[in-house]
Each structure stands twice: as structure tokens, then as C-alpha cells.
Amino acid sequence: MLLVGAGHAHLVALRQWTRRGWQPPAGSALINPDDHAWYSGMMPGLLAGRFSREECAIPLEPLCEAAGLELILNRVDALDTEDRSLQLWQSTRNYELLSVNTGSTPASPTESDGSIPLVPAKPFRGFISAWEQWQQARSTPHLAILGGGPAAFELALSLQQSLPRLRMTLVSDRPLLAGHPKKLASKARRFLHRKDITVIENHHIDRIADGRLYAKEDFVLKTDALILATGATAQSWYREAALEHDPSGFIRVDSTLQASGRADIFAAGDCISLPGIQRSGVYSVRQGSTLARNIPAALKGKALRKYQPQAQSLALLATADGGALMSYRGRTAQGRLCGLWKDWLDRRFMRRHRLR
Ligand SMILES: Cc1cc2nc3c(=O)[nH]c(=O)nc-3n(C[C@H](O)[C@H](O)[C@H](O)COP(=O)(O)OP(=O)(O)OC[C@H]3O[C@@H](n4cnc5c(N)ncnc54)[C@H](O)[C@@H]3O)c2cc1C
């Protein structure tokens, strides 16, 4: 059995298997490029100076050891479903049962002359290195964030907190926090305004030239670097493998979380396409419990459980000052209590998965 990616769902599955004493087949492994899993929920708090690096990353070796898996530090670049093999950097691995939980990457503007560094919010290790360079910069950088969802909002506030001389602009191709209650977006705009963060909404940046951002032919902004906190894109190897995928390249799965038409491949988290899901850690964590049941059942030839996406999910958006904005079932709130609630949930997740 090979697990690819230490995403939220696989972390939950490993923890549940260890708790239940289930032993994976001999030779099973987790493949991940980093020996730590960075927890996105706490990443803005790290940038805002509220958490240390150690508090935000889960060491994978102890988790794998406890679950009876080898940890392979590598990344998957191709999948051959006929041969049941994975192409890694400088090696290949065969599987009998595969599970994919490799997340997503933010989208970039379609045309760029390379005049502005593009800094994707993920992977986090790379993003943190860029942040450290901005901290050391002598002159005041002007940073722009592309994206208008919760991650872009949280990153804007936390960067402003840790880089006070910074000039920051958030550019979104739709209204801020579209899909959330309008009241939440209004609260978010007020927060950004108070911190002198400029917000440009309904501008789709599709071209970068001479250090400037353009929406079609219109000049929008001049910036020193562009942080990508845009919607999720799929990795190219999903599309290149003989797997069913949606038009954006995400792996289509059935309600058992098996790749459509494949009994030997599971997938979960941001990399999947399934009606009713959202691409967020909250959904991936829930899918982890289904994987934890279904993978052992599939290996024993037993009936599989169906995953039902939650109809509503709680959104808690950190405001970099220990507080948070909250929305649930159309209701919104803000303040220190919401922040304490978010911290409690995040720290609980970390406590459960940090074995050393
Ligand atoms: C700044 C920020 C804050 C966020 N805050 C929240 C929040 O508070 N709540 C929330 O619900 N969501 C939040 N999100 C969204 C959340 O991060 C994602 O939806 C979630 O991480 C998806 O989890 P996942 O299980 O799909 O995989 P991920 O947690 O993204 O993990 C994927 C893993 O796969 C590994 N990997 C990637 N490619 C390969 C490969 N080719 N081979 C092997 N391994 C690979 C990666 O190294 C990583 O370890 C935030 C996102 C950002 C950017």
C-alpha cells in the first residue's frame, strides 16, 4: 500500500489506524517531499508572530513509525495505472493499493514576462523562505496578493502584522470572500481598510509585464512580488494518468473515495472532484475518517463506507491579532472569542498528530 502526500486526510487515517491497532501490509509507505506536514490553519499565525515554526509542522517520521509505514522523502511525478507504478524522482515504486492526498497549488496569471517574482502560498516551506527575505529587505517592498478567499485575507493581515513597513494590495477577480455571507465580507473589508491594505475587487489579472499587473489591456498595479493565494489547480500527473478527471484536471472519485472506475486507487482532499465538496482542510479531515475505514476494508475485500460531504462548514478567519471572523449557517461574528475557538481547534489537531 502506498500513500502519496501527507495531506490532512492521510494524517487523520494514520492516526486512526494507530489508535485502532490496524497494521498496513508489509512494505507499505507514505511518500512526501518534506519530513514535516505543514498545517495551513496555523500558517497565518506563524507569519503574524503568534506561533513558532515547530508549533505549525507535524513531524512525519514518528507518525509513520507508529502506523507501521516507511516514510519515503520524494515526490510523485507520474502514475502508470496499467503497471501499477509511481514515478518518483530517480526511482519507481509499485503498488497494489494506492491513495493520493497531494493537495493543490494556486493558479498563476496566464502570461508573465518574469519581471515580478511569483510566490505561491503553497508549498509552505518555499513561502516561508520568501517571507524571511522580505523581513530582511532594507527598502519597503510593495507586495500584492492575488486571491479573494479566506487564505488571501488571512495572509494579507498576517504579512502586514509582521512586515509593518510593507505596502500591501489584495487583488481579486471576484468580490472579496464570494460564497460567504455578505456581512462577513463587509467585516473583512473593514479589517483590511484599518490596516491600510488596498483591496481591488473584480479584476482578473491575466498578464504581467514590466513589473506591472494587467487585467486584459488595463493597467492595474505595479508591485515588487505577487503572492498567489488563488483557487486550487490540479497537478499535471493526475491528468496524464489514465484516471477520470474533471475539466480542471482533478481526480473524479466515487462516494467511497475510490477513483472512478478503479478499485485499487483512493484519493482525498483538494485533489479530488466530487459533488458537494469544498477544497478546504475541514473537508479533507472528514474524508480522512472514510479512508481510515475504506482502505483496510478494500484490502480485505469487505464492503466500503460512503463519504457524505457536510452540508455546511464552520469558517474561522484569523485576523492576525489573536481574533477571528466567524461564519456558520449564514451567521457571522468576530472578535477575541472566535480567535480563541480557532486556536483551540487548530492546536487540538496538532496535538493529536504530533507524536513526538
Ligand atoms: C494560507 C492558507 C490558510 C489556510 N487555512 C485554512 C483553514 O484555516 N481551514 C481550512 O479548512 N483550510 C485552510 N486552507 C486550505 C487548506 O490548506 C487546503 O484545503 C488543505 O490543505 C487541503 O488539504 P489536503 O489534504 O488536500 O492536502 P495538503 O494539506 O495540501 O497536503 C498535501 C501534501 O502532499 C504533498 N505533496 C504535494 N505534491 C506531492 C507529490 N507530487 N508527491 C508527493 N507528495 C506531494 C505536500 O508536500 C503536502 O504534504 C488554507 C490554505 C492556505 C494557503
Side-chain angles (χ1 to χ4, degrees):
M1 177 185 82
L2 292 181
L3 307 184
V4 186
H8 291 60
H10 279 167
L11 297 178
V12 169
L14 290 189
R15 172 170 57 85
Q16 294 194 7
W17 289 336
T18 306
R19 206 182 59 213
R20 288 185 209 140
W22 181 70
Q23 280 292 318
S28 296
L30 169 73
I31 303 168
N32 196 67
D34 198 320
D35 59 357
H36 282 73
W38 293 84
Y39 182 53
S40 54
M42 289 171 74
M43 211 43 61
L46 168 71
L47 304 180
R50 300 187 54 245
F51 307 123
S52 66
R53 277 168 174 242
E54 291 69 33
E55 284 175 297
C56 303
I58 297 165
L60 294 175
E61 193 65 65
L63 205 58
C64 287
E65 200 183 307
L69 291 164
E70 181 193 356
L71 174 63
I72 299 175
L73 295 180
N74 209 323
R75 58 172 298 117
V76 168
D77 288 324
L79 161 64
D80 184 336
T81 52
E82 281 292 299
D83 215 25
R84 289 187 169 174
S85 68
L86 292 170
Q87 182 63 52
L88 315 183
W89 188 69
Q90 293 190 330
S91 63
T92 52
R93 288 291 284 225
N94 285 90
Y95 63 84
E96 283 173 34
L97 191 128
L98 176 70
S99 179
V100 183
N101 181 206
T102 41
S104 57
T105 35
S108 315
T110 37
E111 239 182 89
S112 171
D113 66 356
S115 55
I116 298 177
L118 302 179
V119 187
K122 280 180 164 191
F124 288 123
R125 226 182 243 284
F127 185 76
I128 291 168
S129 304
W131 169 62
E132 286 168 345
Q133 283 174 21
W134 295 324
Q135 279 182 312
Q136 284 155 16
R138 295 228 173 112
S139 57
T140 310
H142 184 182
L143 300 184
I145 298 189
L146 209 55
F153 168 77
E154 290 189 327
L155 286 179
L157 286 177
S158 55
L159 286 169
Q160 191 72 321
Q161 177 88 2
S162 60
L163 306 165
R165 293 176 298 131
L166 187 73
R167 282 180 303 134
M168 166 78 74
T169 307
L170 190 149
V171 191
S172 171
D173 63 355
R174 59 194 81 176
L176 185 70
L177 299 180
H180 291 267
K182 286 206 166 86
K183 270 192 285 179
L184 191 79
S186 307
K187 287 182 201 294
R189 276 188 204 98
R190 279 199 293 277
F191 258 97
L192 295 167
H193 182 69
R194 249 183 272 144
K195 294 284 175 187
D196 281 335
I197 297 168
T198 309
V199 181
I200 301 176
E201 298 173 77
N202 303 311
H203 280 69
H204 178 71
I205 303 298
D206 52 8
R207 189 162 65 89
I208 300 174
D210 298 328
R212 294 173 162 82
L213 308 183
Y214 292 87
K216 294 208 167 32
E217 291 311 309
D218 298 335
F219 166 72
V220 178
L221 188 70
K222 197 170 179 324
T223 182
D224 297 320
L226 183 63
I227 297 165
L228 305 174
T230 40
T233 61
Q235 296 189 23
S236 54
W237 61 272
Y238 312 152
R239 202 188 284 266
E240 287 153 13
L243 288 175
E244 276 191 39
H245 49 75
D246 71 9
S248 305
F250 293 102
I251 304 167
R252 277 197 208 281
V253 296
D254 301 329
S255 56
T256 54
L257 298 182
Q258 284 164 304
S260 298
R262 308 250 13 153
D264 57 349
I265 301 179
F266 286 84
D270 278 10
C271 66
I272 65 167
S273 173
L274 181 72
I277 62 147
Q278 290 176 23
R279 294 207 165 83
S280 82
V282 174
Y283 281 75
S284 185
V285 163
R286 228 15 123 75
Q287 291 158 21
S289 298
T290 307
L291 284 186
R293 292 272 169 203
N294 282 357
I295 289 178
L299 287 166
K300 286 186 204 138
K302 289 191 174 169
L304 305 192
R305 184 186 273 194
K306 289 191 172 168
Y307 161 73
Q308 177 68 45
Q310 58 263 52
Q312 303 276 346
S313 69
L314 170 71
L316 284 164
L317 280 55
T319 47
D321 53 2
L325 303 184
M326 191 273 309
S327 107
Y328 186 64
R329 293 180 183 266
R331 289 172 187 273
T332 63
Q334 72 179 75
R336 182 86 185 119
L337 264 183
C338 298
L340 287 172
W341 189 8
K342 176 166 171 52
D343 284 354
W344 182 78
L345 290 170
D346 288 340
R347 285 186 187 279
R348 186 181 61 165
F349 185 86
M350 297 306 282
R351 248 194 335 272
R352 285 179 170 173
H353 295 91
R354 186 194 298 282
L355 299 191
R356 229 185 269 149

